Amino acid sequence: VQPGERNHKRTLHCELGRPVVAVTDQGCGMDAETCCHIFEQFYHGGHQPQEQGNGLGLAMVQKIAALHGGAVTVDSRPGSGSCFTVDF
């Protein structure tokens, strides 16, 4: 995947009667240290200079999911992309 390209897969299914959304990409992935912090407000782990963001998006997703009794998780490894899962 070249910089600027979007190559991701979205799935929606139910587990125990609850909706689950998963978004998987084929990007560069993240190491365990980055994964431990990405849901913190204003965190910018390893961003390239040309990338934009203020570090609030994932913190907001986590908060909204929690307010609905759900959770957000990430599974990622360097060089393998990432999969974010939100369950409500």
Side-chain angles (χ1 to χ4, degrees), residues 35-84:
C35 289
C36 287
H37 297 284
I38 59 170
F39 297 108
E40 296 173 7
Q41 291 182 8
F42 308 114
Y43 183 74
H44 283 272
H47 271 228
Q48 300 296 322
Q50 69 271 15
E51 293 185 40
Q52 296 181 2
N54 56 22
L56 290 174
L58 290 173
M60 291 174 58
V61 170
Q62 183 183 50
K63 182 66 172 178
I64 291 167
L67 288 170
H68 290 278
V72 182
T73 59
V74 62
D75 180 26
S76 186
R77 288 168 194 76
S80 297
S82 302
C83 179
F84 289 86

Side-chain angles (χ1 to χ4, degrees), residues 1 5-9 22-32 34-35 38 73-85:
V1 178
E5 285 185 23
R6 298 199 183 267
N7 189 6
H8 58 270
K9 175 182 170 185
V23 179
T24 304
D25 69 31
Q26 297 175 347
C28 61
M30 297 174 281
D31 60 27
T34 300
C35 289
I38 59 170
T73 59
V74 62
D75 180 26
S76 186
R77 288 168 194 76
S80 297
S82 302
C83 179
F84 289 86
T85 303

